[in-house]
Amino acid sequence: MNQTFASLDEQAQDRATRWLARAHVRPTRQRLSLATLLVGDGHDRHVTAEGLFMAAKASGESVSLATVYNTLRAFCAAGLMNEITVDATRSYFDTCVEDHPHYFWEDTQELTDAPSGEVAFARLPDPPEGSEISRVDVVIRLRRA
Amino acid sequence: MNQTFASLDEQAQDRATRWLARAHVRPTRQRLSLATLLVGDGHDRHVTAEGLFMAAKASGESVSLATVYNTLRAFCAAGLMNEITVDATRSYFDTCVEDHPHYFWEDTQELTDAPSGEVAFARLPDPPEGSEISRVDVVIRLRRA
DNA sequence: CTATGTGCAAATCTTTTGCAGGCTA
DNA sequence: TAGCCTGCAAAAGATTTGCACATAG
């Protein structure tokens, strides 16, 4: 689960600041650090709480694991991220909030984006009476051939 | 998470016995009990380990929780069931092994089958170089309207 | 100033494991 | 009989919580 994260330069922080502001999330020191790691380079990223926690530590930021969890949840609630569930014992968080499919590499437990536009539904069922579709998760599990 | 399970009459046990035999799974008392609860009435079922454990207890069978986990895993390995992941903190096991879509009711955390044939892919990406698609999980998350 | 956010450690919950004894083929 | 199964209790992880303190607006 080795992931690369954005650096903490000024431009990256600006991007993070705008990202938080866009969703009216109060920019505390910890949130700004984490947001910078997440979107500082403008790329989407898939993280686990543990992975982000370690990245924060590695970059010299002091953030507690509980706060990482709270923060990721807060970002999800604010619509800045999505939680994707592929493994019963670990949550993955995606900075890309569009409803898009994922590859899950069964050997490395890595989660990556499936090439966009390559998946399309020919048909989706009408949501049952009294319900509406909140999201459609598509996870393509890959096995090393 | 209230689920209904099959009764333990003779016909149900026969069905369970055949189910195990088909996959060459050694029919121990515990496995037969659990299998009867799972497929005794010929219907497919989605269970959690905890739910099945409680059902076993309720039906008077004595099976330890660890064994329920082992058994569900064994059934999956034997191709009798599938594990579906929708919630990061709980595994769901489905007696229907076909690759089919599910509804996940966000309010009750219930997992049900989506009407079969109602979901179709227009396009799926070619698996990346050196990999093959092991399975495609489609989970349609529903919100009570 | 006040509502929110944070850290820490402990609690909780699901799932796994080690090992002694049991049971199927 | 031999090897696979099971139960139990304890371990292992991931995530959440309670509460006192800090801080953004």
Side-chain angles (χ1 to χ4, degrees):
Chain A
M1 196 75 49
N2 26 32
Q3 306 174 90
T4 50
F5 287 88
S7 57
L8 295 172
D9 60 33
E10 194 173 330
Q11 183 197 318
Q13 272 192 229
D14 281 0
R15 222 188 301 251
T17 303
R18 286 194 303 276
W19 191 62
L20 295 179
R22 185 173 74 208
H24 309 292
V25 172
R26 195 185 281 190
T28 66
R29 175 175 64 73
Q30 294 82 337
R31 288 179 176 180
L32 195 54
S33 302
L34 298 179
T36 303
L37 291 168
L38 288 170
V39 300
D41 63 2
H43 294 131
D44 282 319
R45 213 177 307 276
H46 303 90
V47 302
T48 60
E50 191 68 26
L52 184 56
F53 173 63
M54 297 203 291
K57 249 197 342 219
S59 78
E61 294 297 318
S62 151
V63 183
S64 82
L65 182 55
T67 297
V68 172
Y69 275 104
N70 288 337
T71 302
L72 286 173
R73 287 256 128 70
F75 289 175
C76 285
L80 290 170
M81 306 185 77
N82 255 339
E83 184 174 356
I84 303 152
T85 310
V86 264
D87 177 327
T89 56
R90 211 189 318 270
S91 289
Y92 292 75
F93 298 86
D94 184 358
T95 52
C96 178
V97 280
E98 285 155 52
D99 205 344
H100 67 292
H102 290 95
Y103 284 141
F104 181 65
W105 299 82
E106 296 186 334
D107 56 349
T108 57
Q109 308 262 100
E110 240 180 319
L111 189 71
T112 60
D113 285 322
S116 70
E118 288 289 311
V119 177
F121 285 102
R123 226 176 348 167
L124 262 181
D126 289 325
E129 194 61 35
S131 69
E132 54 183 333
I133 293 179
S134 142
R135 186 150 57 102
V136 180
D137 283 350
V138 177
V139 176
I140 303 167
R141 291 174 177 265
L142 299 176
R143 192 181 21 225
R144 235 61 130 174
Chain B
M1 196 76 50
N2 27 31
Q3 306 175 88
T4 51
F5 286 88
S7 57
L8 296 172
D9 61 33
E10 194 173 332
Q11 183 197 318
Q13 273 191 229
D14 281 358
R15 221 187 304 250
T17 303
R18 287 193 302 276
W19 191 64
L20 294 180
R22 186 171 73 211
H24 309 293
V25 171
R26 194 185 282 190
T28 66
R29 176 175 63 73
Q30 294 84 335
R31 288 179 176 178
L32 195 54
S33 302
L34 298 179
T36 303
L37 292 168
L38 288 171
V39 300
D41 63 1
H43 294 133
D44 281 319
R45 214 177 307 277
H46 303 92
V47 302
T48 60
E50 190 67 26
L52 183 57
F53 174 64
M54 298 203 291
K57 251 197 344 217
S59 78
E61 294 297 319
S62 151
V63 182
S64 83
L65 182 56
T67 298
V68 172
Y69 275 104
N70 288 337
T71 302
L72 286 173
R73 287 256 128 70
F75 289 175
C76 286
L80 290 171
M81 306 187 76
N82 255 338
E83 184 174 355
I84 303 152
T85 309
V86 263
D87 177 326
T89 56
R90 210 188 320 270
S91 288
Y92 292 77
F93 297 86
D94 184 359
T95 53
C96 178
V97 281
E98 285 155 52
D99 204 343
H100 67 291
H102 290 95
Y103 283 141
F104 180 65
W105 300 83
E106 295 186 335
D107 56 351
T108 58
Q109 308 263 99
E110 237 180 322
L111 189 71
T112 60
D113 284 322
S116 70
E118 288 288 314
V119 177
F121 286 101
R123 223 174 353 163
L124 263 182
D126 290 325
E129 194 60 35
S131 69
E132 55 183 333
I133 294 179
S134 140
R135 186 151 55 104
V136 179
D137 283 349
V138 177
V139 176
I140 302 168
R141 293 175 175 264
L142 299 175
R143 191 180 22 226
R144 235 57 122 171

Short mmCIF file of all heavy atoms in Angstrom, two decimals, chain A residues 3-5 7 17 19-20 26 36 40 44 47 54-55 60 64 66-68 73 76 107 114 117 128-129:
data_model
loop_
_atom_site.label_atom_id
_atom_site.label_comp_id
_atom_site.label_asym_id
_atom_site.label_seq_id
_atom_site.Cartn_x
_atom_site.Cartn_y
_atom_site.Cartn_z
N GLN A 3 1.85 4.62 -1.32
CA GLN A 3 1.19 5.62 -2.15
C GLN A 3 2.07 6.86 -2.17
O GLN A 3 2.79 7.15 -1.23
CB GLN A 3 -0.17 5.97 -1.55
CG GLN A 3 -1.01 4.72 -1.33
CD GLN A 3 -2.31 5.00 -0.60
OE1 GLN A 3 -3.32 5.28 -1.21
NE2 GLN A 3 -2.27 4.94 0.72
N THR A 4 2.01 7.58 -3.28
CA THR A 4 2.77 8.81 -3.36
C THR A 4 1.84 9.96 -3.05
O THR A 4 0.67 9.96 -3.41
CB THR A 4 3.36 9.00 -4.76
OG1 THR A 4 2.30 8.81 -5.71
CG2 THR A 4 4.46 8.02 -5.03
N PHE A 5 2.37 10.94 -2.38
CA PHE A 5 1.53 12.07 -2.01
C PHE A 5 2.14 13.35 -2.52
O PHE A 5 3.32 13.42 -2.87
CB PHE A 5 1.38 12.13 -0.49
CG PHE A 5 0.47 11.05 0.03
CD1 PHE A 5 0.98 9.81 0.36
CD2 PHE A 5 -0.89 11.27 0.14
CE1 PHE A 5 0.14 8.79 0.81
CE2 PHE A 5 -1.73 10.26 0.59
CZ PHE A 5 -1.22 9.03 0.93
N SER A 7 3.64 17.14 -2.50
CA SER A 7 4.58 17.82 -1.61
C SER A 7 3.82 18.96 -0.93
O SER A 7 2.65 19.19 -1.18
CB SER A 7 5.73 18.37 -2.43
OG SER A 7 5.23 19.23 -3.44
N THR A 17 -6.35 24.78 0.07
CA THR A 17 -7.18 25.81 0.70
C THR A 17 -8.44 26.05 -0.12
O THR A 17 -9.54 26.12 0.42
CB THR A 17 -6.39 27.13 0.81
OG1 THR A 17 -5.20 26.89 1.54
CG2 THR A 17 -7.22 28.18 1.53
N TRP A 19 -9.78 24.03 -2.16
CA TRP A 19 -10.56 22.78 -2.14
C TRP A 19 -11.46 22.77 -0.91
O TRP A 19 -12.65 22.48 -0.99
CB TRP A 19 -9.58 21.61 -2.10
CG TRP A 19 -10.15 20.25 -2.33
CD1 TRP A 19 -10.77 19.79 -3.45
CD2 TRP A 19 -10.09 19.15 -1.42
NE1 TRP A 19 -11.10 18.47 -3.30
CE2 TRP A 19 -10.70 18.05 -2.06
CE3 TRP A 19 -9.58 18.98 -0.13
CZ2 TRP A 19 -10.82 16.79 -1.45
CZ3 TRP A 19 -9.68 17.74 0.47
CH2 TRP A 19 -10.31 16.66 -0.18
N LEU A 20 -10.90 23.16 0.22
CA LEU A 20 -11.68 23.19 1.45
C LEU A 20 -12.74 24.29 1.40
O LEU A 20 -13.89 24.08 1.78
CB LEU A 20 -10.77 23.42 2.67
CG LEU A 20 -9.77 22.31 2.98
CD1 LEU A 20 -8.92 22.69 4.19
CD2 LEU A 20 -10.49 21.00 3.23
N ARG A 26 -14.13 24.15 7.40
CA ARG A 26 -13.26 25.04 8.16
C ARG A 26 -11.81 24.58 8.06
O ARG A 26 -11.48 23.43 8.38
CB ARG A 26 -13.70 25.02 9.62
CG ARG A 26 -13.12 26.14 10.42
CD ARG A 26 -13.49 26.01 11.87
NE ARG A 26 -14.85 26.46 12.15
CZ ARG A 26 -15.31 26.62 13.38
NH1 ARG A 26 -14.54 26.34 14.41
NH2 ARG A 26 -16.53 27.04 13.58
N THR A 36 -3.70 19.02 1.64
CA THR A 36 -2.56 19.27 0.77
C THR A 36 -1.97 17.95 0.28
O THR A 36 -1.63 17.80 -0.89
CB THR A 36 -1.49 20.09 1.51
OG1 THR A 36 -2.08 21.30 1.97
CG2 THR A 36 -0.34 20.42 0.59
N GLY A 40 -2.99 18.39 -3.26
CA GLY A 40 -2.00 19.44 -3.51
C GLY A 40 -1.43 19.44 -4.90
O GLY A 40 -1.08 20.48 -5.44
N ASP A 44 -6.12 13.10 -8.55
CA ASP A 44 -7.00 12.35 -7.66
C ASP A 44 -6.20 11.24 -7.02
O ASP A 44 -5.21 10.77 -7.56
CB ASP A 44 -8.19 11.79 -8.44
CG ASP A 44 -9.22 12.87 -8.68
OD1 ASP A 44 -9.46 13.67 -7.77
OD2 ASP A 44 -9.78 12.93 -9.79
N VAL A 47 -6.84 6.73 -0.93
CA VAL A 47 -6.07 6.50 0.28
C VAL A 47 -6.85 5.66 1.29
O VAL A 47 -8.07 5.57 1.23
CB VAL A 47 -5.72 7.83 0.99
CG1 VAL A 47 -4.93 8.73 0.08
CG2 VAL A 47 -6.98 8.53 1.47
N MET A 54 0.20 7.83 7.79
CA MET A 54 1.65 7.63 7.66
C MET A 54 2.28 8.69 6.78
O MET A 54 3.38 9.15 7.05
CB MET A 54 1.94 6.23 7.15
CG MET A 54 1.43 5.18 8.15
SD MET A 54 2.22 3.59 8.04
CE MET A 54 1.64 2.98 6.47
N ALA A 55 1.56 9.07 5.73
CA ALA A 55 2.08 10.09 4.84
C ALA A 55 2.22 11.41 5.60
O ALA A 55 3.18 12.16 5.42
CB ALA A 55 1.16 10.27 3.64
N GLY A 60 6.20 15.24 8.20
CA GLY A 60 6.50 16.05 9.36
C GLY A 60 5.30 16.67 10.06
O GLY A 60 5.44 17.42 11.01
N SER A 64 -3.25 13.14 14.59
CA SER A 64 -3.54 11.84 15.20
C SER A 64 -4.37 10.98 14.26
O SER A 64 -5.09 11.48 13.40
CB SER A 64 -4.26 12.02 16.53
OG SER A 64 -5.62 12.21 16.32
N ALA A 66 -6.98 9.27 14.87
CA ALA A 66 -8.41 9.53 15.04
C ALA A 66 -8.83 10.74 14.22
O ALA A 66 -9.89 10.77 13.62
CB ALA A 66 -8.74 9.75 16.51
N THR A 67 -7.96 11.74 14.20
CA THR A 67 -8.29 12.94 13.43
C THR A 67 -8.29 12.65 11.94
O THR A 67 -9.10 13.19 11.19
CB THR A 67 -7.29 14.07 13.75
OG1 THR A 67 -7.44 14.40 15.14
CG2 THR A 67 -7.55 15.30 12.91
N VAL A 68 -7.40 11.79 11.51
CA VAL A 68 -7.39 11.40 10.10
C VAL A 68 -8.74 10.79 9.75
O VAL A 68 -9.36 11.13 8.74
CB VAL A 68 -6.25 10.42 9.78
CG1 VAL A 68 -6.40 9.88 8.37
CG2 VAL A 68 -4.91 11.11 9.93
N ARG A 73 -13.87 11.42 7.02
CA ARG A 73 -15.32 11.36 7.10
C ARG A 73 -15.92 12.73 6.82
O ARG A 73 -16.91 12.86 6.10
CB ARG A 73 -15.77 10.89 8.49
CG ARG A 73 -15.54 9.44 8.78
CD ARG A 73 -16.87 8.66 8.70
NE ARG A 73 -16.72 7.51 7.80
CZ ARG A 73 -16.00 6.43 8.08
NH1 ARG A 73 -15.33 6.35 9.22
NH2 ARG A 73 -15.92 5.44 7.22
N CYS A 76 -15.80 13.49 3.21
CA CYS A 76 -16.83 12.73 2.50
C CYS A 76 -18.19 13.40 2.69
O CYS A 76 -18.95 13.58 1.74
CB CYS A 76 -16.90 11.28 3.01
SG CYS A 76 -15.55 10.24 2.42
N ASP A 107 -3.97 -8.97 -5.71
CA ASP A 107 -2.70 -9.38 -5.10
C ASP A 107 -2.09 -8.29 -4.23
O ASP A 107 -1.60 -8.57 -3.15
CB ASP A 107 -1.71 -9.88 -6.16
CG ASP A 107 -1.45 -8.85 -7.24
OD1 ASP A 107 -2.18 -7.84 -7.29
OD2 ASP A 107 -0.51 -9.05 -8.03
N ALA A 114 -10.45 2.84 -13.05
CA ALA A 114 -10.57 2.17 -14.34
C ALA A 114 -10.59 3.29 -15.38
O ALA A 114 -11.07 4.38 -15.12
CB ALA A 114 -11.84 1.35 -14.40
N GLY A 117 -14.75 6.23 -19.07
CA GLY A 117 -15.46 6.07 -20.32
C GLY A 117 -15.44 4.66 -20.86
O GLY A 117 -16.12 4.33 -21.82
N PRO A 128 -36.31 0.42 -6.66
CA PRO A 128 -37.57 -0.09 -6.12
C PRO A 128 -38.43 1.04 -5.57
O PRO A 128 -37.91 2.08 -5.17
CB PRO A 128 -37.09 -1.02 -4.98
CG PRO A 128 -35.70 -1.37 -5.33
CD PRO A 128 -35.15 -0.21 -6.08
N GLU A 129 -39.71 0.77 -5.58
CA GLU A 129 -40.70 1.70 -5.03
C GLU A 129 -40.21 2.38 -3.74
O GLU A 129 -39.79 1.71 -2.81
CB GLU A 129 -41.98 0.90 -4.71
CG GLU A 129 -43.21 1.74 -4.46
CD GLU A 129 -43.59 2.59 -5.66
OE1 GLU A 129 -43.40 2.13 -6.81
OE2 GLU A 129 -44.05 3.74 -5.45
#
